[in-house]
Each structure stands twice: as structure tokens, then as C-alpha cells.
Amino acid sequence: MLRQPRLWLGTGLIAAVVSMLFALLYVGGNVNPKGNLHDLPVALVNADTGADAGGRHVNMGEQIVAGIQKTAKGDKSIDWQIVTREEVDKLLGRGKVFGALVIPRDFSATVTALGSPQPAPQGKAARPTLTVLTNQSAGSIGSSMSSQAAQKAAHAASAQIGQELLKQAAAQKTPLPAAAQLGLADPVNVTVADGHPVGSRSALGLSAFYYALVLVVCGMLGANLVNSQVDTALGYLHTDYGPVRKREPVRHTSRVRTLAIGMALMLGISLVMGTLVEVATVTILDMDASHLGLLWLYSVATIAVVGIGSLALFAAFGTPGMLLATIVFVAMAVPSSGATVPLQALPGFFRALAGFEPLRQITEGMRAILYYGAQADAGLSRAWASMGIALVAALVFGFAVTRLYDRRGLHRIPRPAAGSEAQAETPGTTGSTGATETNGTTGAEASATA
């Protein structure tokens, strides 16, 4: 066997393609997130009401917003969305933005107080503050990128305000101590807060992704199990239990019926697998979760749809269908899911994949259930719609292809001619209960040898 070039070439070619493909997809999607960053949504809130200074009304918040917008024209990495304080809470609570920069109501008042020639009343002086809100529920890396961008903008605004305050102090011709000059040079206090907190047992906002990935893997593994068990029950495959081999008598049936049997079995085991996944994660591991009934239904449906889709690929392409299912549901799905690295930081190829790759839609729906109160517009309605479309596509594709194979007589095992069915059966099968082989020999052969 090892001297056959075909064995080496065939196996080596498949291994080479798979390893190269997985490396390009997994690493290629995540290798340069900052370089690929484009239009990351970050909210900008200007609640500043302004203040009177030097006989005129000033609004430092509007100046900061104008400065950020001017900078953003030459840098398309961040999509600054100007919203109200009430709107930003809704956006953070639906995962629509990765963070926010908030300018408070009294910002102008506190800034002008620092530059006022009249000393502030005792205990009334305060540094102006800008608040950066994060959103780990939308993805830890995206939240970190948003926080960095917001803090950078806040510190740039502080430096600009500091220059103006130093100019005002110099115009007053009153010498300032060195400590006061340093304080005026960078007057704004930048604080970071969690805009939409997640539970301590939520994997820092990644539990939705890991849960969704488990569901996809369960669907694929379930499909592989169903495929092999159905073929074994039909007598197409034998089963090995250590040194013991068992094979059922061949039951000739159409490809359409075989696929229907597999899909029905997949629906049944999806109930078991979905239930146990929730029990393991929520009950045993104490993962933060709510809407447990909806979570169970979503888990069962996801496993069933992924499993049925995999079975359709197996039925259409045979053994290569298993590799194709792995590429579709894992290799291309994980880097384009936007769960670890946000879509806005992925190359264009992966952004295009995210439009139809199932893991992206499944993860968004899972985030809605676990983090956003199961709100439909937080990604849950899109996830259900995507699963419905995928299910219909799998059914149509699978049964159309298998029906075509059956009509053309492309049976998996050709039916024997009349009168020769006994000879056509695979050695080692007897009656309707099957036969047991030990070490590759039938029971009769083993007795004869003894």
C-alpha cells in the first residue's frame, strides 16, 4: 500500500489544500485588524449646555465635536455617530455601537471656571470630565478599539483646550506656578466606564460566540453521526467494536429516502443535544443567561438546521461533502463571524462572507438572547430569518440532487439481478439480524479454522 503513489498523492493533496485553506482563512481574517479597520461605529454624545465667558456664550462640546468630525474626514477607521444621551443607551443595549464618548452638561462651565480670573469658591473647583463608554457585549476587541479611539479624541480635545487656557492665563499677565501651568496644559479628566455591563460569567462578552460555536459543531458532529448510523442500519457500512465487526444485511432504498431518514433522525437528536448543551453551560457551568426557554428553542433549532444542511452536502457530494461542510460551517464561518474581531476590522473578503455565513447570524441572535434582553432588532429576528432561509435551501438542494441521482439510476449500491440477490449480499451478513465477524472473518469461517 505504501508503495502506491496514488495513495500518497491523493492524501497529500487533500492535506495540503486543507492546511493552506485553514491557515489563510483563520489567520488572514485576524492578522491585521487595525490596518483593516473601517467605519467602526462609535457614538458621540454632546450634552453640553454651554456657558457665558467674556461677554459671550461658548459651547466647548460643540468645538470638540467639530474637531472630531474634521479629523474623521481624513481617517475613515471610525464612524462617529452623533446621538443624544438617551439614544446612546439604546444603541449600546442592542450592540449597534462598540462604545461612546460622552460630553457632560456642565463641561463648558467647568472649563470656563478654570480660565476665570476670579478664584472659584472653596470646594467648588472641579476638573472638566469626558467619559468614554465601552461595550464588551458587542465584542471585546471592538470595544477596545472603540475605547482607544474615544480616549485619543478626548486627550486631543484636552490638549487643545489647554492651549486656549494657557493663552488666557498669559493675557492676564499673572504668573502661574509650574503646577498650575501643568494642570492647565491638560485640564480634562478622561474616565472610562462600562456602557452596557455583562455578567461576570459571560466570558468578557464572548460567551455568546462560544455557545454559538458549540451549537454549530454539535450540528456537524450530529450530522456525521446520523450519516454513519443510517448507513450502518441500511447495511452500507459495518461497525467495529474493538476486534468485533458487525454488519447488517443490505436494505436497498433510494437516496431520497435515505436523506429523509437522516434528516428525521437529526431532528430527534437535536432535541437531546440542544437540551444537554444548555444544561451543561447554564446549570453546571453557571454561565450568565436569561430567557432560558427561548435559549433552548434557539439551541435546538440551530443544531437541527446546521445538521440538516450538512446532511444535504453529504448526500450531494458524498465523502467530499464532509470536508465541504467543515469549510462552510467552520473554516469560513469563524473568521467572518465578527465575534472576536469586529467586521469593520476584517478584510473585504470576510465582510462579504459575513453576509451569508451562518455563524455570524447565529452569534448575533445568541448575543440578543444573552446580553440584550432578546430584543428582535438586536439581531434575533435576523438570526431566525437566516435559519429559516438556510433550512429551506438545504431541503430544496438536498432532495433535488438526490432525486436527480435516483432518476438517473445512480444508486449507492446497485440492485442485484433476479435470482442472484443472495450472492450479491456482502459476505458476513445473514438473515435479517446481521452477522458478527471477529478479526475480519465470519463466524462460520472462524469455526472452520478452529
Side-chain angles (χ1 to χ4, degrees):
M1 289 289 293
L2 294 177
R3 293 192 184 99
Q4 296 180 9
R6 180 181 299 178
L7 177 64
W8 288 94
L9 291 175
T11 305
L13 180 61
I14 295 174
V17 171
V18 171
S19 59
M20 177 66 76
L21 186 62
F22 268 74
L24 289 175
L25 291 174
Y26 267 56
V27 181
N30 305 319
V31 69
N32 186 21
K34 287 189 177 181
N36 295 317
L37 188 62
H38 186 78
D39 288 339
L40 185 75
V42 180
L44 180 57
V45 179
N46 179 25
D48 188 12
T49 56
D52 295 325
R56 61 189 182 92
H57 186 78
V58 297
N59 191 307
M60 304 300 297
E62 293 180 354
Q63 297 180 24
I64 293 176
V65 171
I68 291 176
Q69 290 178 324
K70 181 178 180 180
T71 304
K73 290 181 180 180
D75 182 8
K76 299 298 183 180
S77 60
I78 303 297
D79 177 21
W80 294 98
Q81 301 181 7
I82 301 176
V83 297
T84 65
R85 189 64 182 87
E86 293 74 18
E87 290 173 339
V88 75
D89 291 334
K90 295 180 180 180
L91 293 174
L92 291 169
R94 296 172 183 169
K96 302 300 183 182
V97 294
F98 288 89
L101 175 60
V102 180
I103 306 170
R105 294 174 56 86
D106 61 346
F107 185 76
S108 293
T110 53
V111 170
T112 55
L114 292 177
S116 174
Q118 301 295 330
Q122 185 68 24
K124 296 296 184 179
R127 292 184 64 188
T129 300
L130 294 176
T131 302
V132 174
L133 299 179
T134 60
N135 190 10
Q136 285 190 337
S137 65
S140 55
I141 294 181
S143 178
S144 176
M145 289 180 168
S146 167
S147 177
Q148 292 176 12
Q151 291 185 59
K152 181 180 178 181
H155 287 299
S158 178
Q160 181 64 34
I161 293 173
Q163 292 179 7
E164 296 179 5
L165 291 176
L166 289 175
K167 289 179 181 179
Q168 293 177 16
Q172 295 172 10
K173 298 181 180 180
T174 302
L176 293 176
Q181 292 183 16
L182 291 175
L184 289 180
D186 187 16
V188 178
N189 181 35
V190 180
T191 62
V192 179
D194 197 341
H196 185 75
V198 294
S200 59
R201 303 188 68 85
S202 296
L204 299 178
L206 289 175
S207 59
F209 166 67
Y210 291 129
Y211 198 108
L213 184 59
V214 167
L215 297 181
V216 170
V217 171
C218 285
M220 291 183 56
L221 292 179
N224 277 278
L225 176 63
V226 166
N227 190 60
S228 63
Q229 290 299 309
V230 170
D231 282 353
T232 299
L234 292 175
Y236 294 165
L237 295 177
H238 63 260
T239 303
D240 289 325
Y241 300 98
V244 179
R245 171 178 295 181
K246 184 178 180 180
R247 187 161 189 171
E248 298 292 335
V250 176
R251 300 181 183 182
H252 294 283
T253 187
S254 67
R255 290 177 181 266
V256 170
R257 290 181 178 178
T258 302
L259 180 58
I261 293 170
M263 289 184 174
L265 185 58
M266 187 70 226
L267 289 175
I269 69 169
S270 296
L271 295 171
V272 178
M273 298 179 79
T275 301
L276 294 180
V277 167
E278 183 169 336
V279 169
T281 54
V282 178
T283 304
I284 299 177
L285 299 178
D286 195 26
M287 182 187 76
D288 291 322
S290 58
H291 304 279
L292 298 183
L294 178 60
L295 179 62
W296 174 83
L297 180 61
Y298 190 85
S299 302
V300 172
T302 300
I303 294 174
V305 171
V306 172
I308 289 174
S310 299
L311 288 173
L313 293 176
F314 298 168
F317 301 101
T319 302
M322 298 182 182
L323 179 58
L324 184 59
T326 304
I327 294 174
V328 172
F329 290 113
V330 178
M332 293 193 303
V334 172
S336 63
S337 65
T340 52
V341 177
L343 295 182
Q344 293 80 5
L346 295 176
F349 171 73
F350 294 94
R351 296 185 196 183
L353 286 180
F356 61 87
E357 270 294 337
L359 186 56
R360 166 65 177 171
Q361 326 306 331
I362 295 170
T363 301
E364 287 297 302
M366 189 58 62
R367 280 175 171 167
I369 295 174
L370 295 182
Y371 307 147
Y372 306 135
Q375 298 180 80
D377 56 353
L380 187 57
S381 59
R382 177 183 173 89
W384 281 120
S386 299
M387 276 199 281
I389 294 173
L391 177 61
V392 172
L395 293 174
V396 172
F397 174 74
F399 285 114
V401 173
T402 52
R403 176 62 176 166
L404 177 63
Y405 290 165
D406 287 337
R407 292 186 63 181
R408 293 189 175 183
L410 302 174
H411 303 296
R412 298 182 65 190
I413 296 181
R415 290 183 178 275
S420 61
E421 185 170 354
Q423 290 81 359
E425 295 290 353
T426 304
T429 61
T430 59
S432 60
T433 60
T436 300
E437 303 176 10
T438 305
N439 294 328
T441 61
T442 63
E445 291 171 342
S447 300
T449 303

